[in-house]
Amino acid sequence: MQPYFVVSGAAVLFAVLLMIRIRLTRSSNSRTVSGIEIGNGQTIGSRSEQDDYFSSMTTPVGTLAVVADGISGLANGRMSSTLAVTTFTKAFAKLEDATNLNGYFAEAATQSNRGILQNLNGQGGGTTLAAVIVCGYQLYYGAVGDSLITIYRNGHFQTVNSKHTAETLLEERVLAGQMTSEEAKTSPVRNQLVNYLGYEGFESMELGSAPIRLYSGDHVLLCSDGIQEALTEIELEEIMRKGGTPQETADAMIDAINDKGFKSQDNATVLILAIG
């Protein structure tokens, strides 16, 4: 009978240790998730319709934040941004692990582009999109168009993604001696998008080659271009330095834009993730 009790005791001990390990794992995941505080702000500006759309969600994989800016001046901008954000969030909800997040970004972008083109049925439309996933203290991102992803750290911004506009091509021509800096700055096509979702020639979105290390106290911002056009980097830094919750900071940015009262103010949206 004694061997039986030894085996039973070992089995009970193993079960207890396993339960402790599971609880510790869940507790660790909970701290990671609850360590991210999110705020958002949005204004329609002087536009007749709000073409920006955004969302955030947390799953066991991590926290997703995404902002899409339907292209102003084209029909179906709101449809495009809404469809893209919905596609990204639905695909993220199905992820079971973080082994291939760049693959997730690429596939969600392809699906979004296809869906938008099908809904447009030959009409004009499209959207920019910026998305991040915070997994632990690692930042993964995907972007297409001119919506901005930036990290606020130690009083200053660090830009994460590139602008997919003609501005980049013009700057390359300046470096090649094919045009002057002044000509590039005053070019009427300077802000024209060269890559976006809902574009027949879309091939891929910009992806990070490696995750970006985040630190406690960092703030990750996703902004549609209505934020960047209305507020300078210095003004944004001044707002960030005042502290407050991410929601208070996002509200302060939108208030600052509305106070300026620009007659041609574009839709503006900001999502702020504070890393605990």
Side-chain angles (χ1 to χ4, degrees):
M1 295 293 290
Q2 190 173 358
Y4 173 81
F5 286 112
V6 171
V7 172
S8 293
V12 171
L13 179 60
F14 175 79
V16 171
L17 290 174
L18 181 60
M19 289 179 67
I20 292 174
R21 182 179 179 185
I22 291 172
R23 287 174 181 172
L24 286 174
T25 301
R26 287 176 178 170
S27 177
S28 175
N29 286 340
S30 177
R31 285 198 297 272
T32 299
V33 169
S34 64
I36 300 176
E37 188 176 356
I38 303 175
N40 64 75
Q42 188 176 70
T43 178
I44 194 172
S46 61
R47 306 292 186 184
S48 59
E49 183 176 64
Q50 177 58 265
D51 291 328
D52 288 0
Y53 198 71
F54 67 93
S55 183
S56 62
M57 67 183 301
T58 297
T59 72
V61 173
T63 296
L64 168 75
V66 55
V67 168
D69 178 3
I71 298 173
S72 300
L74 294 178
N76 301 303
R78 182 170 179 80
M79 177 278 293
S80 300
S81 62
T82 303
L83 189 153
V85 170
T86 301
T87 299
F88 270 75
T89 53
K90 284 184 176 180
F92 185 70
K94 296 177 181 178
L95 282 182
E96 296 181 353
D97 55 57
T99 56
N100 187 18
L101 294 182
N102 273 0
Y104 151 78
F105 283 126
E107 179 59 26
T110 298
Q111 290 181 10
S112 298
N113 189 65
R114 185 186 305 120
I116 292 169
L117 287 173
Q118 289 174 349
N119 278 273
L120 289 175
N121 195 26
Q123 302 178 62
T127 186
T128 72
L129 185 136
V132 301
I133 296 172
V134 178
C135 182
Y137 282 91
Q138 302 291 330
L139 175 73
Y140 300 81
Y141 79 92
V144 56
D146 59 1
S147 291
L148 179 71
I149 303 170
T150 184
I151 298 171
Y152 179 77
R153 177 182 295 162
N154 298 326
H156 301 285
F157 286 109
Q158 300 177 16
T159 302
V160 172
N161 63 312
S162 305
K163 281 187 176 183
H164 303 157
T165 63
E167 177 182 359
T168 302
L169 302 178
L170 293 172
E171 290 174 352
E172 291 176 357
R173 293 188 63 186
V174 171
L175 293 174
Q178 298 173 349
M179 67 188 308
T180 66
S181 178
E182 185 61 29
E183 289 173 334
K185 290 179 180 179
T186 58
S187 172
V189 300
R190 180 179 179 83
N191 295 320
Q192 183 175 317
L193 292 171
V194 296
N195 197 25
Y196 56 91
L197 298 176
Y199 173 45
E200 288 282 1
F202 174 78
E203 293 183 358
S204 62
M205 72 188 314
E206 178 184 340
L207 302 172
S209 58
I212 299 171
R213 179 73 166 89
L214 295 174
Y215 300 90
S216 180
D218 283 352
H219 290 73
V220 180
L221 283 76
L222 289 81
C223 308
S224 65
D225 67 340
I227 296 286
Q228 308 159 53
E229 291 172 357
L231 300 175
T232 66
E233 185 170 308
I234 292 176
E235 289 173 322
L236 289 170
E237 287 177 349
E238 289 176 349
I239 293 173
M240 293 297 298
R241 289 193 187 106
K242 291 179 181 178
T245 67
Q247 187 57 53
E248 290 169 342
T249 302
D251 289 340
M253 290 181 181
I254 299 304
D255 288 343
I257 291 173
N258 290 333
D259 288 344
K260 290 194 174 187
F262 292 135
K263 293 182 179 180
S264 58
Q265 176 61 51
D266 194 2
N267 300 154
T269 300
V270 59
L271 266 175
I272 304 176
L273 286 71
I275 310 302

